[in-house]
Amino acid sequence: MTRPTSRRPPSPRPPQGVGGSAGLIALALVPLAVWLGAASGCDATTLAASVGEELSGGETTVFNEGENAFGLPAPNLTNEEERFFGVGNSLFNQNWVTAPASTTARDGLGPLFNARSCAACHFKDGRGRTPDFDGERPTGFLVRLGVPGQRDALGSPLGDPVYGTQIQDNAVLDIAPEATVIVRYEDVHGSFGDGTPYTLRKPVVSFRDEAYGPISSGLALSPRVANQVIGMGLLEAVPEADLVALADPNDADGDGISGRVNRVWDVLRQDYSVGRFGWKAAQPTVRQQSASAFHGDVGVTTSLFSEENCFVAPAGCSELPTGGSPEVEDRNLDHVTLYVGALAVPARRNWEAPEVLRGKALFNQIGCASCHVPQLKTGPSEISPALSGQTIRPYTDLLLHDMGEELADGLAVFDASGREWRTPPLWGIGLFPTVNGHQELLHDGRARGVVEAILWHGGEAEASREQFRMLPARDRDAVEAFLNSL
């Protein structure tokens, strides 16, 4: 696969100014109303970029703003790792087929599934979207379901007794798909502090063509869109102790933010580990996240999840041919793990622009950085030494936060309640329109851009949301410009 150029020399950087940590400490001492007035009139002489802040992935950053910006390898991989990466790229992108087939390394699809490949959900290694119209085949979109607030012995959600914890809307020949997912939207109206009106959209999920009987009533339904997969190996390499140090489960400092780690079942270790991946931080490693997606979304087995995806009872399902046991051999799972783990993060754009710098200062001042932590550092990486010891800027703490009732899905996942979600990394958010042709945000894609995403924040983030809502239009635009530079 021919890849576009991925690197360029870094631009000269100005000295560290208000954008640095010392400046933010100073700003925190200024009353909000006074400071906001000053920020509105600030320019490049009063705000400056922090040293290296354009390097979102540290030394693994790539300089590419095109439609393939999410599909590039970390530039500091070895030659052998780059070959490994290429094989993983093939496994990630190529369709799986029904067994038996001549392509024995790619057979075993289903029998029930959502997508035929990883890339079908993560198109160009980016983000899925909600269906545009009734009956459109989803692209990187699925629905989780479960008994509200209840978990099994390990902590996973309890699902429907027939349909399990995820609706599979595709199936191999002679087996009926479980159901068709329907999404419609309700308008939610509001206004900014200056009187400017806005309209949000709230998704309402239903099903038709339920093949194996009615889906149980009273279940929690959680629509999910597939997230971008850049930088995952870097996030795995952030030391567990650092995430625990960021947590404040009892809000001991009284700032209204009480992030918590999610302790999840690590299949390989046969013990609990800190969760990092998925909308509720339900997976501890890139390898387990990849194996779980293979199993639940594509219907192919690995050594981590070895049972066939055949939990409903259509006649003959369990007798269908398989692609082997497991269908994804460990060597191929190694390739995919390296590929997903070593996908590079694109560099910031316009990080030195005065409006972006002002938006960054406002973002910090109204408290968004309390959860979207700008900077972390990686420790030793089990995926590649290239990911070790990197100063990264993902804008996440990887912790669970109560986001309020409007975003609640009712599903308890290990330690995560139905109101809690992992802080999603913001790196790459401004490139979604270029890579994927949309900017549908939040776990269910309801937000059409960063402003709508902010306006949906509740719970621990309600105070920050209200401060944003009350900003004058010029300052709201600056925050939006900053976020779209990430």
Side-chain angles (χ1 to χ4, degrees), residues 67-413:
E67 62 181 15
N68 293 312
F70 292 167
L72 300 166
N76 54 345
L77 297 180
T78 65
N79 290 336
E80 182 181 1
E81 287 174 328
E82 286 193 349
R83 289 192 292 270
F84 231 72
F85 182 95
V87 176
N89 174 61
S90 173
L91 288 161
F92 191 89
N93 283 280
Q94 291 190 15
N95 286 343
W96 287 76
V97 298
T98 307
S102 58
T103 55
T104 55
R106 303 285 200 283
D107 69 341
L109 176 70
L112 296 159
F113 59 95
N114 294 102
R116 296 177 182 272
S117 70
C118 304
C121 291
H122 304 280
F123 182 59
K124 295 184 179 179
D125 304 294
R127 187 172 173 83
R129 63 171 177 82
T130 58
D132 279 342
F133 54 86
D134 185 1
E136 183 195 21
R137 180 66 64 188
T139 303
F141 176 88
L142 54 80
V143 177
R144 297 276 172 84
L145 60 162
V147 181
Q150 295 192 22
R151 310 167 179 85
D152 65 17
L154 291 177
S156 296
L158 286 178
D160 182 274
V162 173
Y163 293 95
T165 58
Q166 181 171 316
I167 292 295
Q168 274 99 20
D169 56 358
N170 277 298
V172 300
L173 291 175
D174 301 324
I175 299 293
E178 291 183 327
T180 299
V181 176
I182 306 298
V183 183
R184 62 179 179 84
Y185 294 95
E186 297 176 348
D187 288 343
V188 178
H189 300 285
S191 62
F192 294 102
D194 59 11
T196 304
Y198 59 76
T199 301
L200 308 178
R201 60 174 192 170
K202 181 177 181 178
V204 179
V205 173
S206 60
F207 306 102
R208 68 180 181 215
D209 308 322
E210 299 165 44
Y212 307 107
I215 295 173
S216 300
S217 60
L219 291 179
L221 307 179
S222 185
R224 307 279 180 90
V225 293
N227 225 329
Q228 73 272 28
V229 289
I230 54 174
M232 290 179 61
L234 294 168
L235 297 176
E236 180 180 310
V238 176
E240 178 177 317
D242 291 359
L243 301 181
V244 173
L246 289 172
D248 185 15
N250 299 313
D251 192 18
D253 60 7
D255 66 352
I257 306 300
S258 52
R260 304 192 301 132
V261 296
N262 196 3
R263 297 282 177 179
V264 305
W265 186 247
D266 188 318
V267 177
L268 200 59
R269 292 181 58 230
Q270 288 293 290
D271 200 356
Y272 288 92
S273 297
V274 170
R276 300 167 188 259
F277 303 113
W279 285 106
K280 287 182 180 276
Q283 301 297 345
T285 62
V286 173
R287 187 180 189 85
Q288 185 164 316
Q289 170 68 25
S290 301
S292 176
F294 268 130
H295 188 254
D297 303 342
V298 187
V300 292
T301 59
T302 63
S303 59
L304 275 69
F305 301 100
S306 57
E307 293 185 24
E308 286 294 328
N309 188 8
C310 194
F311 300 119
V312 299
C317 179
S318 59
E319 286 76 42
L320 289 172
T322 71
S325 183
E327 290 159 330
V328 182
E329 297 178 356
D330 280 347
R331 179 70 170 172
N332 284 338
L333 186 57
D334 291 342
H335 287 112
V336 172
T337 300
L338 186 278
Y339 173 74
V340 174
L343 279 168
V345 182
R348 293 270 304 279
R349 286 87 45 218
N350 304 318
W351 74 94
E352 296 167 308
E355 183 181 34
V356 170
L357 292 170
R358 193 162 56 84
K360 179 181 72 171
L362 286 160
F363 179 89
N364 284 279
Q365 184 67 20
I366 65 177
C368 301
S370 296
C371 301
H372 292 283
V373 174
Q375 184 172 299
L376 299 171
K377 188 161 184 177
T378 68
S381 169
E382 295 186 5
I383 294 175
S384 167
L387 309 177
S388 302
Q390 299 296 324
T391 298
I392 62 174
R393 297 161 181 86
Y395 285 85
T396 180
D397 58 9
L398 296 178
L399 300 178
L400 299 172
H401 293 277
D402 183 339
M403 293 298 292
E405 193 58 36
E406 286 297 328
L407 291 181
D409 68 351
L411 287 182
V413 183

